[in-house]
Amino acid sequence: MQAVRERCVWSQRITHRDLVPYLIEESHEVIDAVESGTRADLREELGDLLWQVLFHSAIAAQDPDDPFDIDDVARTLTEKMVRRHPHVFADAVARTPEEVLVHWNAAKAAEKRMRNSVLDGVPRGMPALALAQKLVGRAAGVGVVVPVSAAMDAPKTEAELGDALLALVDGARANGWDAERALRERLRVVEADVRAAESGT
């Protein structure tokens, strides 16, 4: 990567922002390989995703004000994983996945003391459905319940959930509605409800 950055005229001009579309694309290609690809596909796509990390690190290493390289990235990750696994690297005990999550969440909370809301740190650029799942989980953590339409039968399986979501998107299309926008607008209401609950208003 260092050689590419130094010798490739295209790569020399690339910034962190320029790489964002490629990072998103490569992430989706990894997902496709996991869900429907071969082992060879997965190996290749993981390599492409790793290349993005290496590329960002090479760009960061040239920053005149706050440089860091891939070794710094790996060191920071290692320190975080050690902190979040005291049942592996220290004397804490976790015999169930739920107990592991208790340690993980406690360590994460200690790391994020500067955050004022459970919504802080949730990337707003996520696709609406993934963002909805994240925000609904955070909302539940502060006692905000998202209303469920009485007209809808609750799916019993993940396959039924997929059918229900597809039917909703088809209904939106038939009515000329933008399903992504509709969900994002509803999520803004959920965010406002969460912030109100956190502030006690």
Side-chain angles (χ1 to χ4, degrees), residues 19-187:
L19 281 181
V20 168
Y22 301 103
L23 180 58
I24 292 169
E25 180 180 340
E26 297 299 351
S27 297
H28 285 289
E29 288 179 3
V30 169
I31 293 167
D32 283 346
V34 168
E35 293 180 347
S36 59
T38 66
R39 298 290 290 171
D41 293 335
L42 181 57
R43 183 170 56 245
E44 178 182 354
E45 298 306 339
L46 285 171
D48 290 347
L49 187 58
L50 177 59
W51 182 258
Q52 292 297 307
V53 175
L54 295 170
F55 207 151
H56 277 284
S57 298
I59 294 168
Q62 295 175 328
D63 187 284
D65 301 318
D66 186 16
F68 61 83
D69 62 16
I70 190 64
D71 291 329
D72 298 313
V73 171
R75 188 177 309 107
T76 300
L77 175 60
T78 300
E79 291 167 356
K80 180 193 287 185
M81 290 302 104
V82 168
R83 276 194 314 273
R84 292 190 183 181
H85 292 83
H87 55 290
V88 175
F89 299 105
D91 56 2
V93 176
R95 293 185 179 89
T96 66
E98 293 76 20
E99 289 175 352
V100 171
L101 283 178
V102 169
H103 293 304
W104 179 277
N105 290 329
K108 190 171 179 181
E111 293 165 12
K112 312 293 183 186
R113 283 192 202 110
M114 300 303 293
R115 293 187 174 171
N116 299 314
S117 169
V118 296
L119 302 178
D120 292 347
V122 176
R124 294 313 184 272
M126 293 171 70
L129 198 55
L131 180 60
Q133 186 152 345
K134 180 71 79 172
L135 291 183
V136 167
R138 298 285 177 95
V142 295
V144 173
V145 179
V146 177
V148 178
S149 172
M152 292 180 59
D153 292 329
K156 304 287 189 293
T157 66
E158 199 168 272
E160 287 182 9
L161 174 62
D163 289 342
L165 290 170
L166 192 57
L168 286 171
V169 170
D170 187 50
R173 181 202 54 78
N175 284 288
W177 301 333
D178 184 319
E180 179 89 3
R181 182 177 60 231
L183 184 52
R184 283 195 176 278
E185 288 178 359
R186 185 62 187 90
L187 289 175

Side-chain angles (χ1 to χ4, degrees), residues 11-25:
S11 298
Q12 290 167 358
R13 299 178 182 178
I14 296 297
T15 67
H16 290 298
R17 277 187 181 276
D18 295 332
L19 281 181
V20 168
Y22 301 103
L23 180 58
I24 292 169
E25 180 180 340

